[in-house]
Amino acid sequence: MTHSSHDVRESPGSPAAQVEVGQELTSAGIPLSRADLVRYAGASGDVNPIHWNERFAREVGLDGVIAHGMLTMGQAVSVLTGWLGDPGAVLDYQTRFTKPVPVPDAESGSPEQPTQTLEVSAVAGAVDADAGTVRVDLTVTAGSAKVLGRAQALVRLAAVQEALARDGGGPAS
């Protein structure tokens, strides 16, 4: 059951910040480079060459190297958890992968040079004061393409209120 935010419980020791459905909570751009993909491949064990080898990616029908889906998903929610200051405040997170995230090779210089940016915005999609939760809807794009669909996180209401109070009630970027 979704309730309006007028009946939100207050956190002990601090006034509850109002959380409105449709309110932008935070947004950020996350730069990605080929070096990021190689580091993620090593850390995750996903060394599929579509994530680091241009020739191979083209041979299998892609336009070039693409970011790992789980890297994209993780980077998107990191915008929210960074803003909240508490990754444990996220109770559930899910999404659908809708488009690949191309990460072109830098035209010159270091492979550390970002060549793609994930744009992430987080909006309050539903507030359930009785359950003490907020459904946060994430919009994630690379270029003009929406790369994650139905990206939603269920977050503790108190954590959202604390972050809003810390930021003066407005969105943080």
Side-chain angles (χ1 to χ4, degrees), residues 1-85:
M1 177 187 270
T2 303
H3 297 276
S4 67
S5 58
H6 68 275
D7 59 350
V8 252
R9 294 182 218 136
E10 295 202 14
S11 302
S14 67
Q18 194 80 347
V19 182
E20 299 288 336
V21 172
Q23 177 179 9
E24 182 179 1
L25 303 174
T26 190
S27 64
I30 301 169
L32 290 176
S33 70
R34 285 284 179 91
D36 293 327
L37 303 186
V38 171
R39 280 190 290 274
Y40 186 82
S44 69
D46 182 352
V47 295
N48 186 325
I50 65 171
H51 302 303
W52 54 270
N53 185 290
E54 188 81 25
R55 178 194 49 78
F56 184 84
R58 291 185 185 282
E59 284 176 2
V60 297
L62 297 169
D63 292 334
V65 167
I66 60 171
H68 301 75
M70 295 306 288
L71 172 62
T72 303
M73 187 179 178
Q75 290 288 23
V77 78
S78 75
V79 170
L80 180 60
T81 60
W83 174 72
L84 291 168

Side-chain angles (χ1 to χ4, degrees), residues 78-126:
S78 75
V79 170
L80 180 60
T81 60
W83 174 72
L84 291 168
D86 177 9
V90 176
L91 306 173
D92 184 57
Y93 175 49
Q94 55 191 306
T95 191
R96 293 190 179 126
F97 301 104
T98 56
K99 300 262 187 206
V101 177
V103 181
D105 196 10
E107 290 185 26
S108 64
S110 169
E112 298 283 346
Q113 179 180 331
T115 58
Q116 180 62 273
T117 301
L118 290 177
E119 295 293 340
V120 180
S121 68
V123 173

